[in-house]
Amino acid sequence: MKHQVNMQKQEDGIHEYDRIFGQETHDDQVLFEMLVIAVFQAGLSWKAAASKIPVFRQVFADFDYRQVAGFDEPEYEALLANPAMIRNPHKISAIITNARAIIKLAPEFNSFSEYLWHFTDHQVWQMAVEPGAPLNQQSSMGTIVAKDMKKRGFKFVGPTTVQLLLLAAGIIKRV
């Protein structure tokens, strides 16, 4: 029975990700959620990361980056010990670091959304791709944003990861 409940939660996460992926959003909480998924997706399938959305929601304070920025050693250790988590210490540490980096965007930017959308002058950026090209195909926009994020202290945000974040948030649309 417990296995069925876990499988249902995983399916719920995948359906939720499918529902919101590519939808234009300016909601900082949703953007942080997308960043969490993008970081954990690196080296895994999108389904593996998306299936953990219910777990991520629970352990990362309902994707409240302000709360996650306050995580310290006890919370980090609890995340590593949680059997429902993807227990990659580098990725878990990156999520906490990234939450802190979002806070440090102020006063230059009023929000994480404003920061991400300023790269495209607050317009959806159209990306021409070949039919059937993989989602993680890099673009100049993904590379530019990744470089800037790294400079601002974000971790685990290479061009491919950022490209997926921008696609998920609807900032980049494939045409």
Side-chain angles (χ1 to χ4, degrees), residues 18-147:
D18 277 343
R19 183 180 58 77
I20 61 176
F21 186 91
Q23 300 299 314
E24 185 178 327
T25 186
H26 297 268
D27 182 308
D28 280 354
Q29 199 164 343
V30 173
L31 290 167
F32 183 60
E33 176 180 0
M34 295 295 183
L35 178 59
V36 168
I37 295 165
V39 166
F40 276 101
Q41 184 173 329
L44 302 172
S45 73
W46 71 267
K47 281 188 177 185
S51 72
K52 295 293 185 179
I53 290 174
V55 175
F56 295 155
R57 180 170 285 114
Q58 180 184 11
V59 300
F60 292 123
D62 200 27
F63 299 111
D64 181 342
Y65 65 88
R66 289 174 193 86
Q67 283 188 39
V68 174
F71 283 13
D72 222 343
E73 196 65 27
E75 291 88 355
Y76 172 78
E77 292 297 331
L79 289 166
L80 278 178
N82 186 332
M85 270 295 289
I86 297 172
R87 295 183 284 183
N88 180 312
H90 301 295
K91 291 179 181 182
I92 291 170
S93 179
I95 298 306
I96 297 167
T97 298
N98 291 346
R100 293 173 182 159
I102 290 170
I103 290 173
K104 290 179 185 173
L105 292 171
E108 187 177 353
F109 298 96
N110 293 325
S111 66
F112 188 37
S113 171
E114 183 182 319
Y115 167 70
L116 289 175
W117 282 93
H118 98 275
F119 289 98
T120 63
D121 292 326
H122 302 277
Q123 303 295 316
V124 173
W125 195 71
Q126 304 290 322
M127 177 181 161
V129 295
E130 297 291 323
L135 270 181
N136 65 356
Q137 178 182 1
Q138 294 178 12
S139 70
S140 58
M141 185 59 63
T143 302
I144 289 166
V145 177
K147 186 176 180 179

